[in-house]
Amino acid sequence: MPAHVLVLGGTTEARRLAADLATRPGVRVTTSLAGRVARPGALAGEVRIGGFGGAQGLADWLRAHHVDALVDATHPFAEAITAHAARAAAATGVPAVVLRRPGWQPGPGDRWHHVPSLAAAAEALPGLGRRVFLSTGRLGLAAFAHLTGLHFVVRSVDPPEPPLPPDTEVVLARGPFTLADETELLRGHRIDVLVTKDSGARATAAKLTAARRLGLPVIVVHRPPLPRGVTTVPDVAGALQWLGLGPA
């Protein structure tokens, strides 16, 4: 049983895992957050905020804090930290696993357009709609900043920083959002196309159902590939099993 577990957080799964580990006798859990949200919710166990300084900085932290196991439970699009975690784990010999929820799958009636990147999503947009619900996170808005003639609605917890598309309306709100919430947003803002990343989160899937019911096209950005050779689990139960722990 690991004595000190470092969880790279920022997701619902990371929060649930930390809450479980904090109840285990003899287990110390530290959750690391990037610090991109000004007021993150409360977390069980110890919390650190901020970057490590790349793979080498993370490796140094693992050694200095005597980490026995590393769980990367970051967002599926947090490509840099996942790559750094894989390299740091390999350099230090600390066992590591990536907790990555399954991606979304289209259902009957969905009008999904799959693209490999935010840049490709921006290229596809003009042919699909003029009023866009841009649900890709506030840090990816620069990819759309050059687009004119489109009205963008952006929702985020904290105000996004420029560059932004010239015609952007910002809605500040914290999820999760219900199907009724998402339907009201799409209708109220007369949205005719949705852009989203394949985060796979149940908490953010309601917008896809709302788009389906309203017959709207959806541009879905593929996830970046995981580093070669990493071990993955799909959920908190899988992470606990990998750690050698049964249900609480």
Side-chain angles (χ1 to χ4, degrees):
M1 183 177 69
H4 188 192
V5 180
L6 174 63
V7 178
L8 303 179
T11 60
T12 301
E13 289 84 358
R15 185 177 302 278
R16 291 174 180 167
L17 179 61
D20 183 291
L21 293 176
T23 68
R24 307 274 181 161
V27 176
R28 173 189 172 195
V29 57
T30 302
T31 299
S32 177
L33 300 175
R36 291 172 177 166
V37 176
R39 297 180 300 278
L43 280 161
E46 301 173 35
V47 180
R48 70 170 302 279
I49 296 178
F52 291 95
Q56 184 59 56
L58 177 52
D60 293 341
W61 200 95
L62 295 175
R63 295 188 185 99
H65 294 266
H66 307 290
V67 173
D68 300 293
L70 169 62
V71 180
D72 174 2
T74 55
H75 192 277
F77 284 81
E79 188 174 8
I81 185 59
T82 292
H84 294 165
R87 293 203 295 271
T92 59
V94 172
V97 69
V98 178
L99 196 172
R100 197 63 91 237
R101 64 177 82 106
W104 288 318
Q105 296 298 321
D110 281 324
R111 297 171 57 196
W112 288 11
H113 301 261
H114 293 276
V115 295
S117 64
L118 291 174
E123 185 176 349
L125 256 181
L128 293 173
R130 293 294 173 184
R131 297 186 65 85
V132 186
F133 179 27
L134 190 53
S135 178
T136 57
R138 63 189 179 93
L139 299 178
L141 302 182
F144 304 88
H146 65 286
L147 293 176
T148 59
L150 303 178
H151 175 77
F152 289 89
V153 175
V154 173
R155 183 175 62 198
S156 64
V157 176
D158 298 314
E161 297 180 357
L164 304 175
D167 185 3
T168 298
E169 180 179 357
V170 177
V171 176
L172 296 180
R174 185 189 294 271
F177 302 100
T178 66
L179 176 58
D181 294 332
E182 301 295 47
T183 301
E184 181 180 357
L185 184 144
L186 296 177
R187 282 179 172 160
H189 292 274
R190 295 182 288 115
I191 300 299
D192 55 20
V193 60
L194 165 66
V195 183
T196 189
K197 294 177 178 178
D198 181 15
S199 69
R202 290 184 181 179
T204 56
K207 60 176 174 277
L208 298 173
T209 304
R212 180 192 309 132
R213 293 186 176 182
L214 295 174
L216 303 182
V218 180
I219 298 177
V220 181
V221 181
H222 288 172
R223 298 176 176 187
L226 289 169
R228 183 176 300 177
V230 299
T231 300
T232 63
V233 293
D235 50 30
V236 172
L240 291 171
Q241 183 178 14
W242 178 85
L243 288 166
L245 300 170

